[in-house]
Amino acid sequence: MFIPEWDDKYSVHNNHIDKQHQKLFDIAKRAAILIHKQVDSSEIKTILMELFDYMKFHFRDEEAYMEQIRYPHLADHREIHKEMIERVTDLIQNIKYDFKQKLAIITRDWLVEHIMKEDMKIEQWYEEYKNSQTLDGGSEDGSTKEEINIEIGHFYRCECRESFRVLETVHKKILGGQSYHCKKCNAKIEFVEDAPVRQGK
């Protein structure tokens, strides 16, 4: 089973989103390695849950970004995300059936096809939008490109495996010593280190 590795050709030219995509490539690769080792299904399920949790976080963060930049195709993009979540849910629930094939399909259809076809459109549109704002001197409501405040999210988890999208402002407070707790289990939420930015082959 072929699982593609991150390459600069998959870059959407947004450093924050690229880092999240790289992490998803890494998790999918680790899942593929486990399959070839013929490990216990519980180990495979654990890494699938990691993929599932990070996918949900990434989708929330990407959708929030699209809202902030006023991306006109957000509703359609959100539907694609919903479908991907349903497919991974099915994969986890039916882990004993055609697992290799399903993981390959998800990897090909989402990590490659979705990024190359759909995610690329976001930054292409945003660049055109920013250029039109510069040329026009602002939009009809008086806002300009500088007034769009982009707040990125960071991936946090707690003991009950609940995942959280934490905004940059709160993330900085946590790094500064403040603590935040999960409303479900009351445990302190912990930062899951962002994926490193790597150069393509």
Side-chain angles (χ1 to χ4, degrees):
M1 179 183 63
F2 172 72
I3 299 290
E5 294 189 25
W6 174 262
D7 189 277
D8 281 348
K9 69 183 178 183
Y10 300 129
S11 172
V12 297
H13 308 293
N14 177 309
N15 186 56
H16 183 68
I17 299 298
D18 279 348
K19 284 169 68 178
Q20 292 181 1
H21 286 162
Q22 287 173 42
K23 187 172 181 70
L24 286 161
F25 269 83
D26 287 344
I27 299 170
K29 189 72 174 180
R30 284 191 282 122
I33 290 169
L34 278 183
I35 295 167
H36 291 300
K37 289 183 176 179
Q38 300 293 320
V39 297
D40 187 81
S41 62
S42 63
E43 290 185 62
I44 296 174
K45 192 167 185 176
T46 297
I47 198 163
L48 272 182
M49 289 304 297
E50 183 182 349
L51 176 65
F52 184 67
D53 289 343
Y54 199 80
M55 276 179 65
K56 289 191 297 182
F57 157 74
H58 168 65
F59 289 162
R60 288 195 300 265
D61 202 45
E62 193 172 68
E63 288 167 14
Y65 171 68
M66 286 187 279
E67 282 183 10
Q68 290 173 315
I69 66 171
R70 306 179 189 118
Y71 185 58
H73 307 295
L74 170 59
D76 293 336
H77 204 109
R78 185 175 274 135
E79 280 301 309
I80 295 169
H81 286 171
K82 183 180 176 182
E83 181 183 334
M84 286 303 307
I85 290 294
E86 288 171 355
R87 291 175 74 177
V88 176
T89 300
D90 176 67
L91 179 62
I92 294 169
Q93 290 175 344
N94 300 287
I95 197 166
K96 294 180 181 179
Y97 306 103
D98 301 321
F99 174 75
K100 292 182 182 180
Q101 183 182 4
K102 287 179 181 177
L103 181 62
I105 290 170
I106 288 171
T107 305
R108 184 186 67 236
D109 290 356
W110 185 66
L111 281 182
V112 177
E113 294 294 320
H114 179 69
I115 290 172
M116 296 299 285
K117 289 183 178 178
E118 299 299 329
D119 288 354
M120 290 284 186
K121 294 177 185 176
I122 302 169
E123 285 306 309
Q124 288 169 359
W125 175 85
Y126 190 40
E127 283 304 309
E128 291 174 7
Y129 172 79
K130 289 191 294 185
N131 290 337
S132 69
Q133 294 295 88
T134 302
L135 292 172
D136 296 342
S139 63
E140 291 180 9
D141 64 2
S143 65
T144 64
K145 63 177 182 176
E146 289 80 11
E147 291 171 351
I148 297 178
N149 181 30
I150 306 299
E151 271 213 275
I152 61 174
H154 296 277
F155 186 46
Y156 276 74
R157 268 204 192 128
C158 70
E159 289 179 4
C160 69
R161 290 198 64 259
E162 185 73 12
S163 59
F164 301 89
R165 176 182 179 265
V166 174
L167 294 178
E168 179 74 7
T169 48
V170 176
H171 175 65
K172 287 180 179 177
K173 289 178 181 178
I174 294 173
L175 294 180
Q178 289 191 28
S179 62
Y180 289 78
H181 296 79
C182 172
K183 291 181 180 178
K184 287 185 178 180
C185 68
N186 204 35
K188 182 178 171 183
I189 64 172
E190 300 289 340
F191 174 52
V192 180
E193 187 175 357
D194 291 327
V197 177
R198 288 188 249 164
Q199 298 299 316
K201 293 183 285 183

